[in-house]
Amino acid sequence: MSTQENLSEELESTVENESIEAEEALKTEEDTAAEEQTAETASPEEQTEAADEAAEAEEEKPDRRLKKELEKKEAELAAMKDRYLRTMAEYENYRKRTDREKSDLYAYAVKDTMLKILPVLDNLQRGVQTLPEDAAEDPIAEGMCKILKQFETVLDEIGVKPMDAEGKDFDPNLHQAVMHVDDPELGKNVVAAEMMKGYTYKETVVRHAMVTVAN
């Protein structure tokens, strides 16, 4: 192919490309002009509505972000509240359990101590009961009676109470039967007499009462 023919083909290609570009530019100008004309020919109400829609669309973007942040914070708050309530419930259970353990430990200590002291009280009571009637003015007898009364007052103040078993129905939780007697005046399984007094601390039995029971 000759050089002249090549030049001719290149010229035709260049002209064709320029023609396509010119057509595209013209179409773009026509579209822009049509949009401007549409905007110009729109009524003021339509223009205002379009502007409001555009403004609302811009405003919705931060609103959505704020809504998501609020939902996130509410979820975090709910989780913190749940943890707080669980912690408080666990603490309350711990406090109640600790108080109960302390109370049980104290009751056990009282019982253990009283079991060692009560025999001394028993002997003191027996000594007072065996005092002769004419010994009321005796200083030693008077001293024994005062000590016994003080002893019983102290036990009462710390919550150690004597049982009143005589004439009551036999209760194995409170009484220990050491003898059975026939007594037509008493009903069956009624405590006829106390051989050794029993004591309680609050609702705990410190020492069972040793009793005789009617058949």
Side-chain angles (χ1 to χ4, degrees), residues 3 12 20 28 57 60 77 105-107 117-118 120 122 152 164 180:
T3 303
E12 290 178 357
I20 292 172
T28 302
E60 285 179 357
L77 179 61
L105 182 61
Y106 186 75
I117 292 177
L118 288 177
V120 180
D122 294 337
E152 293 172 341
D164 186 13
H180 289 268

Side-chain angles (χ1 to χ4, degrees), residues 27-40:
K27 184 176 180 181
T28 302
E29 291 178 359
E30 290 176 350
D31 292 341
T32 303
E35 290 177 357
E36 292 176 352
Q37 185 177 3
T38 301
E40 291 176 356

Side-chain angles (χ1 to χ4, degrees), residues 45-105:
E45 292 80 3
E46 292 177 344
Q47 293 179 4
T48 302
E49 183 178 352
D52 291 341
E53 290 178 355
E56 289 177 359
E58 289 298 322
E59 291 177 356
E60 285 179 357
K61 292 180 181 179
D63 287 347
R64 285 196 295 269
R65 288 196 298 270
L66 289 174
K67 185 177 180 181
K68 289 182 179 179
E69 286 293 327
L70 180 60
E71 291 175 350
K72 181 180 178 181
K73 296 300 181 184
E74 288 177 346
E76 292 176 353
L77 179 61
M80 292 176 64
K81 183 178 180 180
D82 182 68
R83 288 197 298 271
Y84 169 77
L85 293 176
R86 289 177 182 273
T87 301
M88 289 301 297
E90 290 175 358
Y91 172 76
E92 186 65 18
N93 291 334
Y94 168 77
R95 186 186 64 80
K96 290 180 179 179
R97 184 173 63 253
T98 302
D99 289 345
R100 186 170 58 251
E101 289 174 352
K102 287 181 179 178
S103 179
D104 292 343
L105 182 61

